[in-house]
Amino acid sequence: GAFDETLMLDLRDNPLEPHLGIYSEVRVSEGGGYAAGSLDYTEVVPEIRGYLPVPYSGVVLAGRFRYGAIYGDIPPTERFYAGGAASNRGFYARMLSPSLTGPVNGTTITVPYGGGGMIDTSVEMRFPIMTIKKMPLNGVTFMDGGDVTNTPGELSLGNLNWAAGFGLRLITIVGPIR
């Protein structure tokens, strides 16, 4: 068991497809016997995102930085993972995390088990391409960096894993499809 607290400030012009503004959040979880849990830990995850339009171009510059640290016992359900569409897009989901590799039924597999420290960052340039049935189709170029380590003390900004790429986003009435 744990208690979760979140402090958030949202100054974006649009929460689904922002063009201007800042979003910041600090999430803290405290686990232990007082929360009917068997593991004593504190998890801290601050995040900040920023959006800035380039005048007269339709281009939006976006940036994000998220840090995560778990102090004390690290519950398996709270471990950090990185990689995939919502994290470092240059890696398969969860594969930018501490992992174990070994044989299973004659095949060697790698299984990520997560970690207690995380850095996840991204910069993007979003730009319009065309409109399909009143729905904007946008392109995005990005550079993502990140790392997940067993403990927060092992994290280093000089040791991030970087990936760059291109993507498409169709802005629908229910939100963007990436």
Side-chain angles (χ1 to χ4, degrees), residues 92-169:
Y92 289 113
R94 295 181 154 216
M95 294 309 289
L96 183 57
S97 307
S99 59
L100 295 171
T101 300
V104 174
N105 296 330
T107 303
T108 301
I109 65 167
T110 299
V111 177
Y113 61 84
M118 173 197 57
I119 293 176
D120 194 18
T121 186
S122 178
V123 293
E124 295 183 345
M125 182 177 71
R126 303 172 181 176
F127 52 91
I129 296 176
M130 63 189 292
T131 300
I132 302 170
K133 294 188 179 190
K134 297 184 182 181
M135 295 184 296
L137 177 65
N138 295 337
V140 61
T141 58
F142 61 85
M143 179 171 283
D144 296 342
D147 197 16
V148 176
T149 56
N150 287 310
T151 66
E154 297 173 69
L155 288 170
S156 169
L157 288 174
N159 195 35
L160 298 183
N161 298 280
W162 293 95
F166 171 80
L168 297 172
R169 291 185 180 159

Side-chain angles (χ1 to χ4, degrees), residues 7-39:
L7 180 61
M8 177 182 17
L9 175 65
D10 192 348
L11 300 174
R12 297 174 292 178
D13 60 348
N14 181 327
L16 292 178
E17 189 65 21
H19 294 87
L20 175 66
I22 293 176
Y23 173 91
S24 64
E25 168 183 301
V26 177
R27 184 174 50 86
V28 177
S29 298
E30 298 125 344
Y34 52 86
S38 60
L39 299 174

